[in-house]
Amino acid sequence: MSLDLPPVAPSVTAALVQGLTPRLRKRLDAGIAKLADRPHVRDGDTVRIAVDDDTHLELHAPGGSVTSVDAIRCGCLLAPDCLHRAAAASAAPIAESEAETEPAAQPAGEPEPGAGADSDSGAGATSDTASVLTLVSETVTPEQRAAALAMYDAAAAVLEAGTDGAGAVLQAELLRAAHTARVSGLPRVAASAVSVVTQLRAARGTDPAYRLTDLTAALRDVLMTAHRLPDSTDADLADLRGSARQPYAPDGSLRLYGLFSEPVLTATGYAGAVTWTADADGRLYTVSDVAPGGAGRAVGAADRAVRVGDTALTHRELSRAGLAVSGATVSPTGRLGAGAGVRAVRAAGAAWSEDPLDRLWAAPVAEQVSRALTTGGDALLFLDVTLIGTVREAAGDCLLADCDGLTLRLAAAHDHPALPYRDNLRLLATAPGIRLRVVARLDPAPVPRALLVATRHPGDAGAHVDLGLDRLQHADLPAAATAPTGAASGSPPAPLDEAPLHLLRRRVHQAASAGRRVLAFPGDSAADSRRLSRYGFACAGDLLDELHAAAADRSRDVFGRLAPADVNRFARAWLAAAHYTEEVDRALCAAAWGAAGHGGR
């Protein structure tokens, strides 16, 4: 969308769409497209859109986002139940819940809420009660069960329609389910549902940052979580519910060493920078500055002061220096809090080749990959590689590198043209034979593949380059290693004898993109099933057959008329296939890196 609108809370969008008449709902997607081309102005916290010469639409966001239905006003005759208000809410970015924003870190030594000093008798009663409660299995509440079922139905409807058919009305239904889930105490599935809506809007708006794999993963997580929630108990239930707010626990005094900084640019409309640091024991900590914004903020955030104590260090400077923190508070993911009791001053940093940072690269690669596959998220790989050349992939060229005899592919961490990842990789590709110490993020694939985020400076062993923020020049490369631009570098890798799991994965992606009907066309999946069975994937062949059967199965009533498709059966078949491919991909990735015997999830 070309409009620069403030984020709108999911509940607001859902309520406005719900208030439309059936006739106006059919026109909602067209109304969104028309609204995107209208002139608009921003005056402080208010955005005014000229619907026509005589009608204006206003969005009020005093706290940076629209949190109530009354904050969107229209001057047309049909207001407040007009199409314009719902179209504006549907075109705007989705606001994060207040509970999702970074909390003010709790000062060290301050007790948790409700954890006051008990008397002796009170403490004994609490202990006795706790011992009794441990014998009672925790289960979902009726409200949570209803919210999970509603979420499953809404996500199944989106899957049945695909991106082309999942317009603003289906998106609003999913947002309504997300709001209900959050109110019921299910923040994990609510956040995943919002991510699905964001990906749908990116796909329908031809956003270059859209990735079908991201939509598939988000939709799979929503359906899987909603499917498992009603019957989950105890620890499994706690994991599926998730946490609306990350707890920040006191961690005393910390001596941190800067590792690197990377830009953050999400499809949900947030941007900024994250700086990674490590302590003397190799534990990783992050300092982030992420807020609503675009590519400009992602690039400029690196030169903002970090939000820890009173230090004036910028993210770019911290990635090459150190930090001494007292009264530190840390989340379970290693994120440093910025509470009033936190004090921080600049300290000396360390090069990647110096102690204690050098220990990060001493860990065996297989062990690092196993840890990344187990923990997921932002698990990093610390690798010593020798560049070999380039290899062409569907998304573009990526670097080939040798890592202790293992040939791996290093791809750009982000494709946005405002970020220099891709340009830096192209320049490094002109210098085969150069040995580098790099930081990368595992990209699960049947071949060793990682996303490159930082590297040792090619011409200065004591410095490093943040590939998403800094731009390498030809002068930075060793003269002996520089090859003419466009010259062939390295020999092409041997053809892969890859198991044909793509036959199932392709159908999973097709269904997420085009909906159930794309798999309901007449055809025969038997040939693909037999090929999967020949490679030992008989289960994949059965899942493929069931996916096609669920998509094409249409029973008839007593009058011979086609009955509605069984959306739930198709959703179950798709979810089984998506989960299967994810787990097999994980196993193949571990085997490719030699990490198959190092544990797993």
Side-chain angles (χ1 to χ4, degrees):
M1 295 296 170
S2 60
L3 290 175
D4 180 21
L5 300 179
V8 177
S11 58
V12 173
T13 304
L16 290 174
V17 175
Q18 181 68 23
L20 295 178
T21 64
R23 180 178 63 86
L24 290 180
R25 286 192 184 190
K26 295 179 181 179
R27 298 169 51 191
L28 181 55
D29 291 316
I32 295 173
K34 291 180 180 178
L35 201 64
D37 297 328
R38 301 305 302 167
H40 69 285
V41 293
R42 180 181 287 271
D43 182 12
D45 295 329
T46 301
V47 175
R48 294 184 179 87
I49 306 172
V51 177
D52 54 39
D53 294 339
D54 302 320
T55 305
H56 289 78
L57 180 68
E58 293 185 351
L59 288 82
H60 299 273
S65 60
V66 178
T67 57
S68 68
V69 174
D70 296 335
I72 303 180
R73 307 170 187 170
C74 183
C76 72
L77 296 176
L78 295 178
D81 298 325
C82 63
L83 180 68
H84 306 129
R85 300 173 71 217
S90 300
I94 303 173
E96 283 191 352
S97 169
E98 182 179 349
E100 288 180 316
T101 58
E102 179 184 4
Q106 192 174 349
E110 182 176 332
E112 292 294 328
D118 295 329
S119 63
D120 293 342
S121 59
T126 302
S127 176
D128 293 340
T129 303
S131 63
V132 173
L133 289 178
T134 56
L135 301 177
V136 180
S137 178
E138 184 182 10
T139 59
V140 296
T141 65
E143 293 79 10
Q144 290 175 337
R145 182 185 299 274
L149 294 176
M151 178 67 73
Y152 188 90
D153 291 341
V158 168
L159 175 64
E160 200 272 343
T163 55
D164 291 339
V169 174
L170 285 181
Q171 294 172 24
E173 291 299 324
L174 195 54
L175 291 178
R176 176 180 296 278
H179 176 66
T180 303
R182 191 176 299 282
V183 172
S184 302
L186 302 174
R188 172 180 167 178
V189 72
S192 297
V194 171
S195 178
V196 170
V197 175
T198 301
Q199 294 294 333
L200 288 173
R201 292 182 179 181
R204 294 171 63 85
T206 63
D207 188 337
Y210 165 72
R211 295 292 181 270
L212 178 56
T213 53
D214 295 338
L215 171 63
T216 304
L219 193 55
R220 180 186 64 238
D221 188 61
V222 170
L223 288 170
M224 179 63 73
T225 306
H227 171 72
R228 293 175 56 193
L229 265 168
D231 300 319
S232 60
T233 58
D234 300 330
D236 189 36
L237 174 58
D239 179 61
L240 294 175
R241 278 192 311 222
S243 175
R245 183 189 293 274
Q246 287 194 5
Y248 281 68
D251 203 10
S253 298
L254 298 173
R255 176 65 169 90
L256 304 177
Y257 300 84
L259 266 173
F260 70 95
S261 290
E262 62 177 334
V264 175
L265 184 59
T266 71
T268 57
Y270 286 79
V274 174
T275 298
W276 291 77
T277 64
D279 64 10
D281 296 326
R283 181 184 175 188
L284 299 179
Y285 298 82
T286 60
V287 181
S288 63
D289 179 10
V290 180
R297 193 181 195 285
V299 174
D303 295 316
R304 297 173 180 265
V306 298
R307 295 186 297 171
V308 178
D310 298 325
T311 178
L313 280 172
T314 66
H315 285 270
R316 195 186 301 271
E317 292 170 338
L318 176 58
S319 69
R320 293 162 173 82
L323 202 64
V325 186
S326 62
T329 55
V330 185
S331 76
T333 59
R335 184 177 180 182
L336 290 175
V342 180
R343 298 290 183 267
V345 295
R346 179 172 186 159
W352 287 2
S353 57
E354 300 174 351
D355 195 61
L357 298 184
D358 183 63
R359 303 176 189 174
L360 296 172
W361 280 265
V365 175
E367 180 181 316
Q368 295 186 51
V369 172
S370 177
R371 182 172 62 246
L373 289 172
T374 303
T375 60
D378 286 323
L380 300 174
L381 302 180
F382 301 90
L383 310 172
D384 288 305
V385 302
T386 301
L387 299 186
I388 300 174
T390 60
V391 62
R392 183 171 297 279
E393 294 184 342
D397 292 347
C398 65
L399 287 175
L400 275 181
D402 175 80
C403 180
D404 294 334
L406 183 70
T407 301
L408 60 96
R409 303 179 180 208
L410 299 173
H414 205 291
D415 288 330
H416 197 284
L419 304 178
Y421 282 116
R422 184 67 64 183
D423 293 338
N424 286 331
L425 259 66
R426 290 194 187 101
L427 190 59
L428 289 174
T430 65
I434 190 173
R435 184 163 180 80
L436 296 174
R437 172 162 283 188
V438 303
V439 181
R441 186 168 285 114
L442 179 67
D443 185 16
V447 295
R449 195 173 189 274
L451 305 178
L452 196 58
V453 294
T455 178
R456 178 184 66 80
H457 195 287
D460 185 355
H464 74 268
V465 179
D466 298 327
L467 295 175
L469 300 171
D470 306 324
R471 288 190 180 273
L472 284 169
Q473 306 295 327
H474 280 282
D476 296 325
L477 302 179
T482 304
T485 302
S489 54
S491 58
L496 295 173
D497 184 19
E498 186 179 344
L501 192 64
H502 65 276
L503 296 175
L504 179 61
R505 186 189 302 109
R506 180 176 59 193
R507 300 307 182 190
V508 170
H509 289 175
Q510 283 181 338
S513 176
R516 176 190 59 80
R517 292 173 180 82
V518 73
L519 300 184
F521 295 138
D524 185 10
S525 61
D528 290 342
S529 299
R530 287 194 298 269
R531 184 180 176 192
L532 286 166
S533 297
R534 285 198 303 270
Y535 276 81
F537 289 97
C539 181
D542 293 340
L543 290 172
L544 181 61
D545 289 338
E546 170 60 16
L547 186 60
H548 279 278
D553 185 19
R554 297 286 300 276
S555 59
R556 295 181 180 272
D557 60 19
V558 294
F559 298 104
R561 297 172 300 191
L562 280 174
D566 189 345
V567 177
N568 284 333
R569 179 191 174 187
F570 178 71
R572 290 193 301 269
W574 183 89
L575 180 58
H579 181 67
Y580 177 89
T581 56
E582 180 194 22
E583 292 302 319
V584 173
D585 281 341
R586 187 181 298 274
L588 292 175
C589 176
W593 286 87
H598 290 259
R601 194 167 59 166

